[in-house]
Amino acid sequence: MTVKKQVEDFDLGQICRSGQCFRMEPLSEDTYAVTAYGKYLEVKQRGMEVCFSCTEREFEEIWRDYFDLNTDYGSVKRSIDPEDAYLQAAARLGGGIRILRQELWEMIVTFIISQRNNIPRIRKCVAALCREFGEKGVDFRGKAYDMFPTSLVLAQASEETLRGCGLGYRAPYIQKTARMVRDGQVNLDDLFSMDYAGAKVQLLKLCGVGEKVADCISLFALHNIEAFPVDTHIQDTLKRYPDGFPFEQYAGFAGILQQYAFYYELFGTEE
């Protein structure tokens, strides 16, 4: 039960470390586990050969889109201004990153958790939340795994229990946002038919969702790749452009470049 594909511009390690997905874990140097859409997947990469532990049908129904395999990232990198030494270096270092098409509700919760937080701690909080509130699934080895909890389940959770997952001051934000979704104050299904600006207006209504979190959700769940989340790392990137970042030049896909830049700011001196 393995699907093999040849994929260019794809690096599992870079995707895992890029700060967009908190339920992707390394199992070995070349193998990663992903839990998404209620499914468990193991992915192994050697060069451009990528092996997915699923059926061809499941790959086509879920994982092809999840890993954004139909997008030509090579053309994105070729569009970068040859004179822009910073973006050229960022794309060389993190050029295996792809913008994952993740579950909307999961991204709302995890990026509320991400505020004033670091990646290892976010992962720990998300794992605790799934362990406490998520349904159980069974993988292809017969081992149990935790699914991401639904908005209905989290709407019914007590603030005390949420805090027990390490969420701190974010616990009431998640509780209130879950209740807003449950009560129809924001209809998540409607966001998929909206443009970036319209969807962002709706996201900003949710408790604990500000500009940066709304842009992260837009980029990583709604796949609005013009979204350009700005945190402290990207603020450092923008300081490199005294005349302003060339958003007009990269209109429609600046979010991909944001991921290259974010990765470069994190790991540019390490790899």
Side-chain angles (χ1 to χ4, degrees):
M1 191 177 66
T2 300
V3 175
K4 294 183 180 180
K5 300 292 179 182
Q6 294 290 316
V7 187
E8 297 180 347
D9 308 303
F10 184 89
D11 188 299
L12 285 168
Q14 291 177 8
I15 294 169
C16 183
R17 295 188 295 271
S18 66
Q20 59 175 307
C21 178
F22 304 106
R23 303 204 72 206
M24 183 175 181
E25 302 289 342
L27 298 178
S28 66
E29 185 176 348
D30 60 3
T31 305
Y32 291 76
V34 181
T35 306
Y37 294 98
K39 301 289 186 179
Y40 173 85
L41 178 77
E42 291 183 9
V43 195
K44 184 173 184 177
Q45 179 174 17
R46 289 184 177 173
M48 288 196 301
E49 183 180 84
V50 186
C51 299
F52 302 85
S53 66
C54 63
T55 63
E56 186 73 36
R57 179 176 178 177
E58 182 178 303
F59 174 80
E60 293 297 340
E61 289 181 348
I62 300 175
W63 303 113
R64 178 183 288 280
D65 279 347
Y66 180 84
F67 286 105
D68 200 28
L69 298 184
N70 290 332
T71 298
D72 183 359
Y73 281 72
S75 68
V76 172
K77 288 185 278 189
R78 289 191 294 272
S79 73
I80 297 173
D81 184 347
E83 301 299 318
D84 190 330
Y86 173 78
L87 275 184
Q88 287 285 345
R92 282 195 299 272
L93 181 67
I97 295 172
R98 286 175 177 254
I99 307 298
L100 302 179
R101 295 174 181 262
Q102 300 180 77
E103 290 181 272
L104 177 55
W105 173 243
E106 180 175 338
M107 291 299 95
I108 290 171
V109 175
T110 55
F111 278 98
I112 289 175
I113 294 171
S114 76
Q115 298 176 78
R116 298 184 181 182
N117 221 335
N118 58 57
I119 292 174
R121 180 167 172 77
I122 298 166
R123 290 181 180 276
K124 185 176 179 180
C125 291
V126 171
L129 197 68
C130 294
R131 207 164 41 241
E132 180 70 29
F133 297 104
E135 292 185 17
K136 305 297 179 183
V138 178
D139 67 21
F140 60 91
R141 292 193 178 88
K143 182 180 177 182
Y145 64 90
D146 302 313
M147 300 182 195
F148 197 84
T150 65
S151 56
L152 182 59
V153 168
L154 294 184
Q156 297 169 338
S158 70
E159 183 180 325
E160 181 182 4
T161 309
L162 289 169
R163 286 184 180 272
C165 295
L167 303 182
Y169 72 88
R170 307 164 193 86
Y173 295 169
I174 291 170
Q175 182 191 60
K176 185 173 180 180
T177 283
R179 290 175 178 177
M180 292 176 72
V181 172
R182 177 197 64 189
D183 298 340
Q185 295 179 50
V186 176
N187 188 320
L188 299 188
D189 290 338
D190 289 348
L191 271 60
F192 291 97
S193 60
M194 296 179 182
D195 62 12
Y196 164 48
K200 187 172 177 179
V201 168
Q202 295 301 307
L203 289 169
L204 288 170
K205 294 178 180 179
L206 297 171
C207 185
V209 174
E211 289 283 331
K212 179 254 182 178
V213 169
D215 278 332
C216 287
I217 298 165
S218 295
L219 183 58
F220 303 131
L222 299 175
H223 209 70
N224 290 319
I225 58 173
E226 64 267 48
F228 195 90
V230 177
D231 67 351
T232 54
H233 298 293
I234 297 301
Q235 286 174 356
D236 290 338
T237 292
L238 297 179
K239 290 174 184 176
R240 299 174 183 268
Y241 295 86
D243 296 326
F245 187 82
F247 287 105
E248 290 186 4
Q249 183 175 350
Y250 303 120
F253 59 92
I256 296 175
L257 303 183
Q258 186 270 3
Q259 276 289 276
Y260 295 157
F262 181 82
Y263 191 84
Y264 188 79
E265 292 296 331
L266 285 180
F267 302 110
T269 60
E270 297 181 15
E271 295 193 1

